[in-house]
Amino acid sequence: MKLLHLGKPTEGDEFFYKRWETFGKVFKSLSEAANSVNEIEVVILDQYTIFDDQHLNIFPRLKYIISPTTGHTHLQYSQEKFSGDCLTLKGETEFLSGITTVADFTIYLMLRLAREVGPYPISLKGKKLGILGMGRIGKHVAERAITMGMEVKEFDKGHNQYYLKGLFISCDFISVHLEENEHTKWMVSKSLLYNMKPTAYFINTARGSIVNESALMNALIKKKIQGAAVDVRESHYYLNSRTPNLIITDHIAGRALEDRIETDEFMVTKLKENLLHTIRKQTEMF
């Protein structure tokens, strides 16, 4: 079996490529695999790598697309054109319950905003935090914020837009942890941002498309809000890293070494189990 790994290597992980050699030869780039594209059966991706129909055409023998992510926006191929299996972390709730890196990073950004961005450092104790999306990460953020003495308010399925507006009006911090879909695109609108306190902070570690980034930039420039921190952007056009009350990181919230290793090892095991299941089915046929 030949594999192509298009993921961004995790710094400090000496087995990043080697752990996949259990299955066969691993190519580390498309150019390295140029003479073997007809033999590639497994492609491994991450959230930074777009995979579409053009890629499917390159690999006629492709059986597995593997992406150790919960989001699928980078998987842009037509499902009807791929007869193999796509293995991701979506739905792996038991495993993901122990992966807390994004929540930790969210608190880190909150602390940076509180200490570095405003006119003077402030404490998080006693501040009101509005969390948009109470899935795994939202719950992890809430747990950490409560231990720091913050008052947590949540917005999730079942809440309406009036309630959401109330959160933006009353909270000192807003943190986004929503899933990206047609219902959440630009959910954080100009109206919501402009209703925040002038002393409030906004954080997004979910998906850039959930926020009207032009409105966020204007809110920062016009001092409608005190500051913001984003780890994800839909476009690099609107949010400028030179803006003094804006912290920008490059989609690194989930890239802590330990969690990345644990996640990759989980995906290796998932592929092994899938291959064994396929072999058993083929054996039962004879």
Side-chain angles (χ1 to χ4, degrees):
M1 178 176 278
K2 293 187 178 180
L3 305 85
L4 173 60
H5 203 317
L6 297 175
K8 181 180 179 181
T10 301
E11 188 175 352
D13 181 7
E14 58 183 303
F15 297 104
F16 182 77
Y17 295 109
K18 193 172 183 63
R19 65 173 53 91
W20 294 98
E21 292 176 3
T22 301
F23 305 102
K25 181 173 178 56
V26 178
F27 295 99
K28 301 176 184 179
S29 67
L30 190 54
S31 58
E32 186 180 309
N35 296 324
S36 302
V37 290
N38 292 330
E39 302 171 71
I40 297 294
E41 296 182 70
V42 179
V43 170
I44 304 148
L45 312 164
D46 57 20
Q47 71 268 30
Y48 305 100
T49 311
I50 300 296
F51 194 87
D52 54 24
D53 289 344
Q54 290 183 330
H55 290 95
L56 287 181
N57 294 333
I58 296 173
F59 309 113
R61 291 187 59 191
L62 188 62
K63 296 178 180 177
Y64 292 97
I65 297 171
I66 298 176
S67 181
T69 60
T70 53
H72 288 181
T73 53
H74 58 298
L75 303 176
Q76 299 178 8
Y77 62 89
S78 304
Q79 293 187 7
E80 64 273 12
K81 293 184 178 180
F82 180 54
S83 59
D85 293 315
C86 180
L87 307 182
T88 73
L89 291 173
K90 194 174 182 67
E92 299 287 357
T93 53
E94 184 178 349
F95 169 74
L96 289 169
S97 64
I99 302 298
T100 63
T101 304
V102 177
D104 295 342
F105 194 80
T106 300
I107 297 297
Y108 160 74
L109 290 177
M110 206 179 301
L111 286 166
R112 282 196 63 188
L113 288 170
R115 296 301 182 95
E116 299 176 13
V117 171
Y120 41 78
I122 61 172
S123 170
L124 296 184
K125 183 178 180 180
K127 300 299 186 295
K128 187 181 291 186
L129 168 63
I131 299 178
L132 277 56
M134 289 301 291
R136 170 182 60 93
I137 297 173
K139 289 175 182 175
H140 285 161
V141 171
E143 291 168 0
R144 285 153 177 73
I146 289 170
T147 63
M148 300 177 77
M150 300 186 79
E151 178 185 352
V152 173
K153 299 292 183 181
E154 61 187 60
F155 171 85
D156 207 16
K157 296 173 183 176
H159 292 119
N160 58 36
Q161 292 297 312
Y162 295 104
Y163 179 83
L164 180 61
K165 183 177 179 180
L167 280 190
F168 274 77
I169 291 172
S170 63
C171 287
D172 302 295
F173 291 84
I174 294 288
S175 187
V176 181
H177 303 284
L178 293 164
E179 183 179 343
E180 181 180 44
N181 55 48
E182 65 273 16
H183 303 296
T184 60
K185 184 174 178 62
W186 282 25
M187 177 181 280
V188 179
S189 62
K190 176 180 178 180
S191 174
L192 288 174
L193 290 166
Y194 276 44
N195 269 295
M196 292 178 73
K197 299 177 183 179
T199 56
Y201 296 95
F202 179 82
I203 300 167
N204 184 16
T205 57
R207 291 291 183 268
S209 66
I210 297 170
V211 182
N212 182 331
E213 294 179 336
S214 174
L216 176 58
M217 190 63 182
N218 284 329
L220 290 165
I221 293 172
K222 295 177 181 179
K223 301 296 177 67
K224 296 289 184 180
I225 62 176
Q226 189 75 260
V230 297
D231 184 55
V232 286
R233 287 180 283 175
E234 183 178 29
S235 168
H236 284 63
Y237 180 76
Y238 294 111
L239 298 177
N240 190 324
S241 59
R242 292 189 295 274
T243 306
N245 54 346
L246 173 63
I247 296 170
I248 297 177
T249 53
D250 191 20
H251 205 168
I252 60 172
R255 291 196 65 84
L257 176 62
E258 295 86 353
D259 278 2
R260 293 311 309 159
I261 290 174
E262 189 175 353
T263 296
D264 283 0
E265 289 177 346
F266 178 82
M267 295 308 297
V268 167
T269 300
K270 193 168 183 176
L271 177 56
K272 286 179 181 177
E273 292 174 349
N274 198 282
L275 287 168
L276 286 171
H277 178 71
T278 301
I279 293 171
R280 290 193 194 102
K281 285 181 63 177
Q282 292 174 343
T283 303
E284 290 170 0
M285 293 174 62
F286 291 100

